[in-house]
C-alpha cells in the first residue's frame, strides 16, 4: 500500500491512549514509506497524526473542502494540500488517491467516512482494505452493532468481514496488506446527471 487514507477525530479525546496510538501510526507510516491522505486539519487526532509524519519526513496529503480551508483548522505545514469544491468531491478525491482506509477513534465525521469506504467495497465499486484500530476497545460497541445488523438480516456476514479490526498497528497493517477482496458483486450503474 503506497497511500492510505486515515479518518480520525478532529478532537483528541479525553485519554492519552488515543493520541499515543495516532503518534505510533504516524511513526509506522513514515518508517514504512506509506503516504498519508487525510482531511487536511491541524486539530485533534488529525493534527497529531499529520505532525508526526511530517516530523519523520514522511508524506502527508490533505484533501480539504474550500469551506474549511480558510478556517483556523487547516494544516499549513504538510507535503501537499488539495482543495475541493464540496465535501462529497473530497471523498471522491481521497478514494482516487489511496490503496486502503483506516479509522482511528473519532466522531460523526470519522464514522461517515469509514462507512462510505465500506459501502463502496460492499457494492464492489472499490476493492480496498478497510481497517479500524480498536485502541482501548473504542469500537467494541460499533462491532456489536454490526453483529445486530447481521443477526437481524440487514448486513451479510461476508460484508461484515470486509472490516478489518485490530488493536495492534502492526497486526492491522499486516492484515490490510494481505487483504483479498471477496468476489465482486455485480452492480448496475445508472448514469444520472
Ligand atoms: P469527527 O470524527 O467528527 O471529529 O470528524 C473528523 C473527520 O471528518 C476527519 O477524518 C476529517 O476528514 C473530517 N473533518 C471533520 N472536521 C474537520 C475539520 N475541521 N477539518 C478538516 N477535516 C475535518
Amino acid at each position: 500500500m503506497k497511500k492510505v487514507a486515515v479518518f480520525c477525530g478532529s478532537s483528541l479525546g479525553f485519554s492519552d491512549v488515543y493520541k499515543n496510538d495516532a503518534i505510533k501510526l504516524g511513526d509506522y507510516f513514515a518508517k514504512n514509506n506509506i503516504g498519508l491522505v487525510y482531511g487536511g486539519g491541524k486539530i485533534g487526532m488529525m493534527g497529531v497524526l499529520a505532525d508526526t509524519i511530517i516530523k519523520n519526513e514522511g508524506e502527508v496529503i490533505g484533501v480539504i473542502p474550500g469551506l474549511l480551508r480558510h478556517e483556523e483548522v487547516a494544516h499549513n505545514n504538510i507535503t501537499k494540500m488539495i482543495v475541493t469544491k464540496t465535501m462529497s468531491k473530497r471523498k471522491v478525491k481521497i478514494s482516487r488517491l489511496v490503496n486502503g482506509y483506516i479509522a482511528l477513534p473519532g466522531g460523526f465525521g470519522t464514522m461517515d467516512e469509514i462507512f462510505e469506504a465500506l459501502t463502496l467495497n460492499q457494492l464492489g465499486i472499490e476493492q480496498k482494505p478497510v481497517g479500524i484500530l480498536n485502541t482501548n476497545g473504542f469500537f467494541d460497541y460499533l462491532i456489536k452493532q454490526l453483529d445486530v445488523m447481521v443477526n437481524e438480516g440487514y448486513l451479510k456476514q461476508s460484508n461484515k468481514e470486509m472490516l478489518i479490526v485490530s488493536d495492534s498497528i502492526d497486526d492491522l497493517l499486516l492484515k490490510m496488506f494481505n487483504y483479498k477482496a471477496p468476489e465482486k458483486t455485480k452492480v448496475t450503474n445508472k448514469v444520472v446527471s
Side-chain angles (χ1 to χ4, degrees), residues 94-154:
I94 290 177
S95 80
R96 291 205 176 126
L97 289 172
V98 301
N99 313 107
Y101 304 91
I102 294 176
L104 304 183
F108 280 164
T110 304
M111 293 303 106
D112 169 55
E113 293 166 322
I114 204 72
F115 277 104
E116 167 136 342
L118 282 168
T119 307
L120 290 175
N121 274 272
Q122 174 173 268
L123 294 173
I125 295 167
E126 284 194 346
Q127 274 115 21
K128 297 175 186 169
V130 181
I132 56 179
L133 185 63
N134 195 19
T135 305
N136 195 32
F138 179 85
F139 289 106
D140 284 354
Y141 290 102
L142 185 80
I143 295 159
K144 283 208 174 87
Q145 182 61 48
L146 299 185
D147 288 331
V148 173
M149 292 176 195
V150 171
N151 292 337
E152 297 299 325
Y154 290 102

Side-chain angles (χ1 to χ4, degrees), residues 61-112:
I61 299 174
V63 186
I64 199 160
L67 181 86
L68 292 175
R69 189 194 183 182
H70 301 293
E71 300 223 0
E72 292 286 289
V73 295
H75 208 299
N76 48 20
N77 182 30
I78 54 177
T79 317
K80 186 175 174 188
M81 184 72 94
I82 297 169
V83 182
T84 63
K85 278 198 177 144
T86 62
M87 288 289 278
S88 52
K89 288 205 166 109
R90 165 208 244 183
K91 282 182 179 161
V92 174
K93 186 72 198 170
I94 290 177
S95 80
R96 291 205 176 126
L97 289 172
V98 301
N99 313 107
Y101 304 91
I102 294 176
L104 304 183
F108 280 164
T110 304
M111 293 303 106
D112 169 55

